[in-house]
Structure formats: C-alpha cells, structure tokens
Amino acid sequence: MVSADVVRTVIGVIGNVISLILFLSPVPTFVRIWKKGSVEQYSPAPYLATLANCMVWALYGLPMVHPHSILVVTINGSAIFIELSYIILFIIYASDKKQRLKVLLILLVELVLMALLVLTVLILAHTYERRSLIVGIVCILCNIMMYASPLAVMKLVITTKSVEFMPFCLSLFSFANGLAWFSFALIRFDIFLTIPNGLGLLFGSGQLILYATYYQNTKRLLAERKARQVSLTEVVSDGDEPKKIGSTTQNGSAPHHGT
C-alpha cells in the first residue's frame, strides 16, 4: 500500500509544476499588452501581490530559516524574476502616469518591507523554529493577499458582465494550484499551508464560476464592438469617396488651355 508520505511527495511535485505554470500563465496577457502598446483595463494587483508572496516564501525556504526546503527556494526564486518582468512591462505600457507612479510606489514599499523582514528574522530570531514561525505567519498573509487580489477583477467582471479582462489561464491555474497545495496540507496537517490555499481554492472556484456565467455574454459584446468598428470604417470610407471623385474631376477632367 502506498504510504501517505509518498502521496504527499507526489502531490508536492505536482504542486510545484502547477505553480510554475501559474506564474507563466499571464504570458498571453502581456503579449497582448505588448502588441496593443497599452495595459487597457488590466490590473497590476495580481502581479504585485504574487511578487510579495514569492519573496516571502523564498525567504522561508532558505537554509537559515527553514532547512531542507530547496524546492521552495527554486520555485519562488524563479517566480520573483517572472513577476518582476510582468511588473516592468506593466509600468512601460501604462498610459496613465498616476497608475505608473502608484505601481512603482507599491513595488518600492514591498522591497523595503521585505528588507525589514529579513533583518528582523536574522537579527532577533535565533532558532529555526522562531524564524519559521515568524516568516510562516507572514507567508499566510501574503498568500491570502495573492489569492484575494483578483477580487478587483471579479468586481469588474460583475459590473461589465464581461470576462475580457479576467485571463482564463490565470483563473484556471489559480484554482489548480490551490487544490494541489490544499490537498498537500491536509495529508499531514499544516496550518501555514491549509489556510491560504483553502482560500485560494475558494477564490479560484469563484473566478471559474464567473467565467462560465459571463463567457457567452462576452462573446456577444465583442461581436457587437467589432460590428460597430466595421460600420464606422464604412461610414468614414463613404464620407471620403465624394472628395476623391471631386478631386479626380477637377484635376483630371478640367480643360487645359495652352498657347
């Protein structure tokens, strides 16, 4: 019979893979932002929250805080680089200066708070147990913030009745990530993993329910918008046509009197 430890390890590996996919899932969104040269109505909140979450978990996995947690360091270290890339792109393509400054300010605050946490843990806490407890509590708070950050986007979906600006991949893998790590935490009960990932599973489910609810309405709204754009193009073309004809008549048909 397969032991609980083996099952837990397998789920942990699956959780790592899903986490990496989750961190990479916004790539199509940022390809769209790059092509359009605008962040449109996309929110930077999920990426700022995820960055804070990954920085804290990377600290948690360091040998001087929680030994034998190399997989925690590698996955979250990679995620820090990925999330910073997203935030830099958001800053570059944000058309609103106030929004750009707001993102920069939040990023600066996150880095300062992270530096203070590192100094506090390494200077004031002298055992692995204390360091793990302090950073673990902060990890719970950051995990909750990361999973709750799409609430602003969910509000936008309900208001506009459109899922255009709630990326499906991000919602799907948030759900899968919460499910994997929640299951992992229940096999050998771990309060630091159970609480945030239970909430992550709840929020992920809510996003998928919204997507299923408003998907067809989004297709209809996008089709109507496209039809209006086509009609506007035809009206502009029709308005320019008499000018072109008049110009041709004047320049091409007018009699030329020579000496």
Side-chain angles (χ1 to χ4, degrees):
M1 186 175 179
V2 180
S3 67
D5 286 337
V6 172
V7 174
R8 192 171 187 266
T9 300
V10 171
I11 294 176
V13 172
I14 294 171
N16 271 270
V17 173
I18 293 174
S19 294
L20 181 60
I21 296 173
L22 173 63
F23 296 137
L24 293 173
S25 62
V27 168
T29 297
F30 281 89
V31 169
R32 169 174 171 159
I33 289 173
W34 171 67
K35 287 182 177 179
K36 287 182 172 287
S38 171
V39 297
E40 300 179 286
Q41 295 186 55
Y42 288 110
S43 171
Y47 314 108
L48 289 164
T50 303
L51 175 63
N53 178 71
C54 293
M55 287 193 295
V56 176
W57 278 109
L59 174 62
Y60 182 85
L62 291 176
M64 68 282 293
V65 176
H66 196 80
H68 312 298
S69 304
I70 189 63
L71 288 176
V72 176
V73 177
T74 53
I75 185 62
N76 286 285
S78 302
I80 289 171
F81 173 77
I82 294 169
E83 298 303 322
L84 277 174
S85 301
Y86 295 152
I87 292 169
I88 290 170
L89 284 171
F90 199 96
I91 292 171
I92 291 172
Y93 291 109
S95 56
D96 187 351
K97 289 184 179 180
K98 289 184 179 180
Q99 185 183 39
R100 189 181 296 120
L101 289 173
K102 183 179 179 181
V103 173
L104 283 170
L105 181 60
I106 294 173
L107 178 60
L108 179 62
V109 170
E110 286 186 1
L111 294 175
V112 171
L113 290 177
M114 187 64 201
L116 291 175
L117 178 62
V118 171
L119 291 174
T120 301
V121 169
L122 297 182
I123 294 174
L124 300 180
H126 302 291
T127 64
Y128 293 138
E129 289 76 14
R130 284 190 175 185
R131 290 174 177 175
S132 297
L133 177 63
I134 294 170
V135 181
I137 291 172
V138 178
C139 284
I140 288 180
L141 298 176
C142 288
N143 251 130
I144 292 172
M145 182 174 64
M146 183 188 77
Y147 284 129
S149 60
L151 287 175
V153 181
M154 294 170 71
K155 180 182 178 182
L156 178 66
V157 170
I158 295 172
T159 303
T160 62
K161 296 183 173 19
S162 170
V163 295
E164 181 181 3
F165 296 104
M166 186 176 74
F168 175 73
C169 289
L170 189 59
S171 300
L172 176 62
F173 286 108
S174 292
F175 169 80
N177 189 63
L179 178 61
W181 288 110
F182 183 71
S183 303
F184 179 86
L186 288 180
I187 294 175
R188 281 180 178 269
F189 187 72
D190 185 337
I191 191 68
F192 291 118
L193 287 171
T194 302
I195 293 175
N197 288 292
L199 289 173
L201 181 60
L202 179 64
F203 290 137
S205 301
Q207 290 176 61
L208 292 179
I209 290 171
L210 284 178
Y211 207 94
T213 302
Y214 293 113
Y215 177 70
Q216 291 297 332
N217 190 60
T218 303
K219 289 177 65 177
R220 180 181 61 79
L221 292 173
L222 291 175
E224 289 177 356
R225 184 193 304 169
K226 186 176 180 180
R228 286 196 299 269
Q229 289 174 345
V230 171
S231 299
L232 181 61
T233 302
E234 290 176 350
V235 169
V236 171
S237 299
D238 291 342
D240 289 343
E241 190 66 26
K243 295 181 181 179
K244 292 179 180 179
I245 295 173
S247 178
T248 302
T249 304
Q250 184 179 358
N251 297 329
S253 301
H256 178 69
H257 298 282
T259 55

